């Protein structure tokens, strides 16, 4: 089995850090005391988020973290987990745009998340095609 290049390890490691930060963001948004300290418009957005959007958010961030761990372990199943995370990221992004409109804050935040998710999935696919994953 061919060994991955340094860039693979960097993408997987940085992706894990990014995903863990997303997991922490999700956890913060489930804590009522923390949410109460946020700006009123952000509180309203969290309070009005439907269950399906909350589920997509959880799948996106926790799936991304698990997928990155699987990449670091060089497991082929990482590709499928990261695809699920990417789909959930897009669903979360669509809800954000529907709920808050096309503001620059929503587009930058959601857009960055979608780009990172896509890069992680692409990295997994590329690694699988090169025989780096088992």
């Amino acid at each position: 089995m061919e060994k991955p290049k340094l860039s693979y390890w960097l993408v997987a490691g940085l992706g894990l850090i990014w995903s863990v930060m997303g997991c922490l963001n999700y956890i913060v948004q489930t804590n009522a005391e923390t949410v109460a300290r946020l700006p009123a418009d952000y509180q309203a957005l969290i309070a009005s988020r439907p269950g399906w959007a909350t589920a997509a958010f959880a799948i996106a961030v926790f799936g991304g973290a698990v997928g990155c761990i699987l990449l670091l372990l060089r497991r082929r199943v990482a590709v499928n987990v990261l695809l699920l995370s990417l789909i959930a990221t897009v669903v979360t992004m669509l809800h954000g745009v529907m709920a808050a409109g096309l503001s620059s804050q929503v587009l930058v935040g959601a857009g960055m998340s979608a780009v990172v998710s896509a890069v992680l999935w692409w990295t997994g696919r590329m690694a699988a095609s090169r025989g780096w994953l088992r």
Side-chain angles (χ1 to χ4, degrees):
M1 178 179 286
E2 187 179 332
K3 292 188 176 192
K5 305 214 181 294
L6 176 63
S7 59
Y8 169 83
W9 297 109
L10 287 173
V11 169
L14 291 173
L16 179 58
I17 292 168
W18 172 270
S19 297
V20 167
M21 289 187 327
C23 293
L24 293 173
N25 184 19
Y26 176 84
I27 291 167
V28 163
Q29 291 185 29
T30 61
N31 182 314
E33 291 177 15
T34 305
V35 171
R37 291 191 297 261
L38 296 173
D41 56 340
Y42 203 64
Q43 288 181 39
L45 182 64
I46 293 169
S48 68
R49 183 184 296 142
W52 61 266
T54 301
F57 182 24
I59 292 167
V61 296
F62 289 103
V66 169
C68 288
I69 291 169
L70 291 167
L71 282 179
L72 291 169
L73 294 173
R74 297 175 59 192
R75 299 292 185 246
R76 186 174 297 274
V77 70
V79 178
N80 294 332
V81 173
L82 291 169
L83 177 59
L84 180 62
S85 175
L86 174 59
I87 292 167
T89 300
V90 170
V91 170
T92 302
M93 183 175 103
L94 290 174
H95 173 263
V97 169
M98 289 179 350
L102 290 173
S103 71
S104 60
Q105 184 179 6
V106 169
L107 291 177
V108 169
M112 264 179 45
S113 296
V115 167
V116 169
S117 291
V119 166
L120 291 171
W121 176 64
W122 176 83
T123 299
R125 283 183 41 116
M126 181 263 314
S129 71
R130 292 186 180 178
W132 297 350
L133 306 179
R134 341 176 233 271

